[in-house]
Amino acid sequence: MTAKNKKKRLAVGFVALGCPKNMVDSERMLALIAQAGFTVTQDSDNADVVVINTCGFIAPAKAEALDAIRHAVNLKKKGSVKKVVVAGCLPQRLGNRLFNEAAGIDAIVGLEHRDNIAQIIEKTCSADKPVASLSRFHKILYDDRTRFRITPRHWAYLRISEGCSRRCSFCTIPAIRGKIRSKPLPLIIAEAQELVASGAVELNIIAQDISAYGRDLKSKLTLPALLTELAKIPMLHWIRLLYLYPTGVSEQLIETVADCGKILPYFDIPLQHINPHILTLMRRPHSKDRLCRLIENLRTKLPGCVLRTTFIVGFPGETDARFNELLDFVKWARFDNLGCFPFYPEQGTPAAKFPHQVPDLVKKRRLEQLMLAQQQIAFEKNKSRIGNSLTCLIDSVNKNHSATGRFFGQAPEIDPVCIIKNCSTAAGSFLETKVIGSKNYDLLCERIKY
Ligand code: SF4
């Protein structure tokens, strides 16, 4: 039996956790595993090897990863799984300590070793003691081409850089993923062309901070210049901007979006907070005035644009008055979509040691209050869309003869959707619809007949 045939008999299950950046890593690892001759199985509870690609960014993500690891280790004890391999942010953050946090792991794989996943699996299968593939440094800029896609055929994530050079006081990402490394333009274009050739009509541009793209490149290429090049790709219809740092939303970027129909007027700008004292403590150098002007400017230059943001409540030093300032701002700004997290004091971050930590119960109450205020805004916005025509990208056709789709203001996975009744149009098609109602956060639409 050849080595390749022997490998073919080994079934590898894959558990992909974490954010879209991690999903790109998962898709790349899956392709490398398949290319090496292993059989990729969806039944990870009965696989020879289970690979868990983890997130370790905040406490709930770490807890989710540890749950998945313990589940796989239990299956190993029962004999249905032989080896458990843990990759991604959690091993990068915890290093060899992870072997103690979840006993029974056979291999840990740091971020720098992503592209060696097949060789690591092979080594683990023949090793009688745990294997650790870890590096402390963050130098590698991955080539993300050739992926085994987890996302549907018609949309994909396109990562344009890795790491982050900002130093927000609450964030573990720079320590886990290192400083920014932008991909060169030809590599991004080649990857985008590959994704489009495989059926993607929508590309979601991701990075820790996409607005910082190019700062570390000798060419000093900027995000607007990159987007202009991407927009030239035939058959690519939607380009969506996720994760913009507020000060990175330049006039040039706004003009580029206004001039190019393919770049959606959808801005995902995590603001984190609005109170000046909290922003200073967070080490985020923008003033409340500047943020208000940014929102007004976007809505003036791009009427009808969709704004998404994220906030942290219960940051150390957030008094009732400072929280109320945030709440008032949310009511004023009327974001289309909003996410909110309680502050997690992550080990190794400056904010974890700040005085005036906020009790968990207060954080929970503030989060509920903020999301309730946003719910009212979202429902009012949905009502105001009734009667409007929307071009929807169909994501799936459901059993009850309805389809699920999204208009340009709805990003995949995180935003609400459009439910289109009496529709059997194939996923990946664009359809003209009219909004006829709403159901919670979702829009109810019908097909426009010509
Ligand atoms: S910009 Fe985002 S990824 Fe970078 S340090 Fe701040 S919160 Fe973390």
Side-chain angles (χ1 to χ4, degrees):
M1 187 182 290
T2 64
K4 191 155 182 170
N5 279 342
K6 200 173 162 193
K7 267 193 276 177
K8 264 184 190 153
R9 292 174 52 189
L10 284 180
V12 178
F14 201 100
V15 181
L17 303 175
C19 66
K21 278 88 65 182
N22 228 34
M23 191 181 297
V24 171
D25 287 332
S26 293
E27 291 180 336
R28 182 70 190 125
M29 280 192 264
L30 276 163
L32 290 164
I33 291 166
Q35 278 173 345
F38 295 105
T39 302
V40 176
T41 171
Q42 291 197 336
D43 183 10
S44 47
D45 282 4
N46 290 294
D48 295 301
V49 181
V50 177
V51 179
I52 304 164
N53 190 26
T54 60
C55 175
F57 165 51
I58 48 174
K62 186 180 161 193
E64 185 191 29
L66 287 172
D67 276 355
I69 294 168
R70 289 185 185 121
H71 176 72
V73 167
N74 275 340
L75 292 170
K76 194 173 92 166
K77 283 181 193 152
K78 288 179 190 155
S80 52
V81 161
K82 293 190 183 71
K83 298 281 182 182
V84 177
V85 176
V86 183
C89 291
L90 196 59
Q92 189 65 41
R93 188 172 178 194
L94 299 183
N96 284 310
R97 278 188 292 142
L98 183 54
F99 285 123
N100 301 330
E101 287 230 15
I105 296 173
D106 297 289
I108 54 175
V109 187
L111 296 168
E112 294 276 302
H113 298 262
R114 180 196 78 171
D115 284 358
N116 301 327
I117 186 70
Q119 294 88 324
I120 293 167
I121 291 173
E122 244 174 276
K123 190 174 167 191
T124 307
C125 286
S126 54
D128 46 19
K129 55 181 186 183
V131 173
S133 303
L134 293 168
S135 307
R136 277 184 50 216
F137 304 105
H138 309 273
K139 287 186 191 144
I140 287 181
L141 181 61
Y142 284 120
D143 180 348
D144 294 323
R145 284 175 295 177
T146 314
R147 296 194 232 152
F148 186 115
R149 294 256 304 283
I150 299 170
T151 60
R153 200 170 159 263
H154 62 278
W155 67 265
Y157 291 115
L158 178 66
R159 174 165 48 188
I160 60 172
S161 67
E162 178 55 283
C164 182
S165 297
R166 304 200 191 266
R167 287 290 175 269
C168 302
S169 63
F170 53 86
C171 184
T172 52
I173 284 177
I176 298 174
R177 289 200 173 246
K179 288 187 179 165
I180 188 170
R181 282 101 67 208
S182 301
K183 283 183 184 171
L185 178 68
L187 187 59
I188 298 176
I189 298 294
E191 191 180 332
Q193 284 169 333
E194 185 184 278
L195 292 166
V196 172
S198 72
V201 291
E202 173 185 1
L203 290 182
N204 292 276
I205 309 298
I206 56 166
Q208 263 74 35
D209 165 16
I210 66 168
S211 50
Y213 175 76
R215 281 186 200 169
D216 56 317
L217 293 176
K218 277 202 185 113
S219 63
K220 297 286 172 219
L221 194 72
T222 59
L223 180 65
L226 166 66
L227 295 173
T228 305
E229 291 305 310
L230 281 171
K232 291 178 187 165
I233 298 176
M235 306 308 289
L236 170 59
H237 296 282
W238 279 5
I239 301 171
R240 184 187 304 282
L241 309 179
L242 299 179
Y243 321 134
L244 289 152
Y245 194 78
T247 49
V249 183
S250 62
E251 285 300 318
Q252 200 197 353
L253 178 64
I254 298 171
E255 275 166 30
T256 307
V257 176
D259 290 346
C260 177
K262 283 189 182 184
I263 309 168
L264 303 177
Y266 175 101
F267 295 85
D268 174 18
I269 313 171
L271 298 181
Q272 314 299 7
H273 215 281
I274 196 68
N275 170 265
H277 177 72
I278 300 290
L279 284 173
T280 305
L281 287 176
M282 285 180 161
R283 297 187 188 160
R284 294 178 64 94
H286 31 260
S287 68
K288 181 179 173 183
D289 276 1
R290 192 168 171 183
L291 295 178
C292 292
R293 281 202 308 275
L294 171 63
I295 290 163
E296 286 171 338
N297 192 24
L298 282 166
R299 288 189 169 140
T300 307
K301 302 243 169 77
L302 293 162
C305 69
V306 166
L307 303 183
R308 179 183 177 84
T309 193
T310 315
F311 290 113
I312 294 174
V313 291
F315 193 82
E318 189 192 61
T319 57
D320 280 345
R322 288 173 182 144
F323 169 70
N324 285 332
E325 192 178 346
L326 174 61
L327 195 61
D328 288 344
F329 174 76
V330 165
K331 290 176 187 166
W332 171 81
R334 297 181 66 79
F335 294 99
D336 298 85
N337 301 304
L338 185 151
C340 185
F341 297 93
F343 167 73
Y344 295 105
E346 291 301 326
Q347 207 184 353
T349 61
K353 293 191 182 140
F354 283 171
H356 312 299
Q357 297 280 333
V358 176
D360 285 349
L361 264 175
V362 177
K363 288 181 197 170
K364 191 169 173 267
R365 197 188 66 223
R366 288 180 184 167
L367 191 145
E368 282 167 6
Q369 222 179 324
L370 196 83
M371 290 316 286
L372 256 169
Q374 175 60 24
Q375 185 185 62
Q376 196 182 335
I377 294 164
F379 288 3
E380 284 167 8
K381 286 204 168 218
N382 272 358
K383 259 195 185 155
S384 73
R385 289 192 192 280
I386 294 174
N388 288 3
S389 302
L390 295 178
T391 304
C392 284
L393 174 58
I394 304 299
D395 279 328
S396 61
V397 181
N398 313 320
K399 279 183 192 144
N400 58 0
H401 305 294
S402 69
T404 303
R406 292 173 289 112
F407 82 105
F408 79 85
Q410 295 168 325
E413 313 255 277
I414 40 168
D415 288 334
V417 295
C418 292
I419 298 163
I420 305 138
K421 64 172 198 172
N422 298 327
C423 176
S424 53
T425 306
S429 314
F430 287 94
L431 188 74
E432 294 309 314
T433 70
K434 186 174 162 190
V435 183
I436 53 169
S438 61
K439 189 179 174 194
N440 300 326
Y441 289 89
D442 296 332
L443 290 170
L444 301 176
C445 303
E446 66 180 13
R447 182 185 192 135
I448 294 178
K449 294 186 184 76
Y450 292 102

